[in-house]
Amino acid sequence: MAKLIGLTIVGLLLAFYKNHQSSYRTRLTALREVTPVDLPNCNFVKGIESGAEDLEILPNGLAFFSTGLKYPGLKEFDPNDPGKILLMDLNEKDPAVLELEIRGDKWDKSSFNPHGISTFTDEDNAVYLLVVNHPNYKTTVEVFKFQEEERSLLHLKTITHELLPKSSTLTPLWITSPWIL
């Protein structure tokens, strides 16, 4: 009798586990098939083939893109190419992407690994671009001044601080997540 009760309990636990696991898969839609959707006003933009990590749009329609992020666990389209900041004028009928030249005395282009970006416009309408950079998988913030006439960036300074995340926090969440089925 004890064996029968024990087997019944084990069977119930296994059934509950299987149902529980199936419930997670259903709720997370882990097994669904994604159907492609054609958007009528969506166009491929040449020059951003490797993707953009972040973008910032100014009120005048200029859009900045950070691209070329090298990140553990992510596919790299061109591992030897440093990151870039791209510019697009959204006011144009057929906007094109332009790579912004970065100038500066202490600027090291080879270790540029841009992540997030933000802009700041001061009272003189000068535009500053702040870029989270991961040179050698460390974290810094690069400060640039946008030179609109030359369509370039002037590197002003690099901000480092002990409270900025270290390289161990650069591992993507999906690599370390226990919830991956």
Side-chain angles (χ1 to χ4, degrees), residues 50-158:
S50 61
E53 174 58 35
D54 198 3
L55 76 124
E56 184 79 12
I57 303 173
L58 296 177
N60 65 3
L62 292 178
F64 296 96
F65 298 87
S66 65
T67 184
L69 177 66
K70 314 282 189 281
Y71 210 71
L74 290 182
K75 179 181 177 182
E76 295 180 18
F77 292 95
D78 192 356
N80 299 323
D81 197 20
K84 302 172 187 163
I85 301 296
L86 307 175
L87 179 71
M88 178 188 288
D89 188 351
L90 300 176
N91 297 315
E92 296 176 3
K93 181 177 170 132
D94 189 22
V97 174
L98 169 74
E99 180 182 346
L100 293 176
E101 179 185 350
I102 301 175
R103 301 175 181 157
D105 296 337
K106 298 179 183 178
W107 177 244
D108 178 20
K109 180 179 177 153
S110 65
S111 67
F112 191 45
N113 194 11
H115 198 162
I117 59 175
S118 291
T119 56
F120 172 76
T121 305
D122 68 7
E123 62 274 353
D124 296 330
N125 288 329
V127 176
Y128 296 91
L129 192 67
L130 293 95
V131 180
V132 176
N133 185 23
H134 299 294
N136 304 316
Y137 300 109
K138 297 178 183 143
T139 302
T140 64
V141 177
E142 307 295 338
V143 181
F144 301 100
K145 182 176 183 182
F146 177 54
Q147 298 175 318
E148 193 166 357
E149 301 80 32
E150 297 94 27
R151 299 287 180 166
S152 65
L153 295 172
L154 176 63
H155 182 256
L156 300 177
K157 68 178 175 175
T158 300

Side-chain angles (χ1 to χ4, degrees), residues 4-20:
L4 182 60
I5 292 174
L7 286 174
T8 303
I9 291 173
V10 168
L12 287 172
L13 288 174
L14 287 174
F16 176 72
Y17 174 74
K18 179 65 177 164
N19 190 23
H20 189 67

